[in-house]
Amino acid sequence: MLLIGLTGSIATGKSTVSALLSQPPYSLPIIDADLLARQVVEPGTRAYKQILAHFASTTPDLLLPASNNPQTPPTTPPDPNASSQAPPCRSRPLNRPALGRRVFGRTPSRQRDRAVLNSIVHPAVRRAMALAVLRAYLSGNWAVVLDIPLLFESGLDIFCGVVVVVGVREPRIQMQRLRARDPHLSEREAGERVQSQGEVEGKVGRVRERWSGWGAVVWNDGGRGELRERVARVMSGVEGGSPRWWGWVLLGAPWLAVGVGAWCIFKGWWARRRWERKEREREKEGGNGRPKL
């Protein structure tokens, strides 16, 4: 089964591409890292308890008020003498905007907090993702899409047979889309979130270091129709390199699937090594290490 890694910086249109791939004529299963990241921190989970233990004492608004909790069941009229009592913390979801304000930014303290949050959430997401990939393989799918914003940064790109980066050439367009989607964000907050997911140029540079047919860039500076055409061209090349019947062969021959998977991991690792070597060379030459778009 082919693992297609889908990534891109925030507000570049990655979710739109993911939606297109989930529909005919592709109808691919989508493993959404953002969705899994929400599920693994739901009230009562291990990650939720770890986040509370680290952030609750210094983030007063870390949890949503009880009135904003859709999971809170209807109750009888409250006792006036108990109206000031808050529900148990374990039943209140995380206030994601408040947590985002705590971890997004370039100050050393925010970077440390973001590292702590990632160390809690990422392992839980990886476990959930591995189970989802296994289910997709056993269901006989020829390919599955791993929708991961921090695909390269998390090191999961080496497991993907193909990596697709969704990008925009104009940062101005990216900022406009983000603030239109999340109007509560100030310009500074929007800029911090863009920076936290890495610049588009860096992701493009990484995918271009992969072998021909193992990586592609989908530019999304235009409209939805233009994006649909570009996705179709990319997927035509992907299916040409890994036809649907090949997925059935691998399902019937697990030993062959293991061998193909090992080869994909090696090629992904080697592409990462080449990119890192070129980055070091650019730094020695005094360049900024960013390719031209």
Side-chain angles (χ1 to χ4, degrees):
M1 184 180 70
L2 177 65
L3 298 185
I4 302 175
L6 177 64
T7 190
S9 187
I10 192 169
T12 57
K14 178 181 59 64
S15 297
T16 303
V17 173
S18 179
L20 291 173
L21 294 177
S22 69
Q23 302 166 3
Y26 316 110
S27 301
L28 295 175
I30 309 295
I31 301 176
D32 188 334
D34 282 343
L35 178 59
L36 293 178
R38 290 176 179 271
Q39 293 174 348
V40 300
V41 297
E42 289 179 350
T45 62
R46 178 182 178 186
Y48 174 86
K49 296 174 183 177
Q50 291 176 322
I51 291 173
L52 288 187
H54 184 82
F55 292 101
S57 62
T58 54
T59 312
D61 56 347
L62 180 62
L63 299 179
L64 290 174
S67 59
N68 291 344
N69 184 0
Q71 298 177 352
T72 301
T75 59
T76 56
D79 183 346
N81 297 325
S83 59
S84 62
Q85 295 178 359
C89 288
R90 63 178 179 273
S91 66
R92 296 163 57 193
L94 295 174
N95 184 348
R96 298 178 67 86
L99 185 58
R101 288 191 295 269
R102 173 70 184 271
V103 302
F104 288 120
R106 286 191 168 183
T107 63
S109 62
R110 291 193 177 187
Q111 290 177 345
R112 286 193 298 269
D113 286 336
R114 187 160 66 248
V116 170
L117 181 63
N118 289 342
S119 70
I120 295 172
V121 176
H122 287 182
V125 171
R126 288 192 180 107
R127 288 191 294 269
M129 191 173 296
L131 290 175
V133 168
L134 179 60
R135 286 194 295 268
Y137 169 72
L138 295 177
S139 298
N141 292 283
W142 75 276
V144 63
V145 177
L146 304 182
D147 184 344
I148 309 175
L150 299 178
L151 179 68
F152 295 111
E153 295 81 354
S154 63
L156 295 176
D157 58 298
I158 68 171
F159 298 100
C160 299
V162 175
V163 172
V164 178
V165 172
V166 184
V168 293
R169 291 184 173 90
E170 290 291 336
R172 173 182 54 83
I173 296 177
Q174 188 178 359
M175 289 287 291
Q176 288 176 347
R177 289 175 178 172
L178 176 58
R179 297 194 69 189
R181 189 189 74 185
D182 299 329
H184 64 278
L185 295 177
S186 66
E187 185 174 356
R188 179 183 60 82
E189 290 173 334
E192 290 173 347
R193 297 203 175 200
V194 169
Q195 294 167 357
S196 72
Q197 291 197 5
E199 297 177 358
V200 173
E201 295 94 330
K203 297 178 187 290
V204 171
R206 285 175 179 264
V207 80
R208 286 178 175 170
E209 289 302 323
R210 298 175 68 90
W211 276 265
S212 177
W214 289 64
V217 179
V218 176
W219 294 111
N220 184 28
D221 296 275
R224 189 179 180 89
E226 186 177 353
L227 177 63
R228 188 185 298 273
E229 293 176 0
R230 290 177 174 173
V231 169
R233 286 197 295 269
V234 168
M235 290 306 298
S236 177
V238 169
E239 291 193 39
S242 182
R244 294 174 183 265
W245 58 264
W246 182 239
W248 289 103
V249 171
L250 296 181
L251 179 62
W255 58 270
L256 181 59
V258 171
V260 171
W263 173 241
C264 288
I265 292 173
F266 171 77
K267 293 186 74 172
W269 171 82
W270 186 252
R272 173 179 284 271
R273 286 286 303 274
R274 290 199 307 174
W275 180 82
E276 291 174 346
R277 184 171 61 251
K278 288 187 177 181
E279 284 289 289
R280 289 193 294 268
E281 292 173 355
R282 290 189 185 103
E283 290 176 359
K284 290 180 180 178
E285 294 172 358
N288 61 8
R290 299 304 187 198
K292 295 181 179 179
L293 299 183

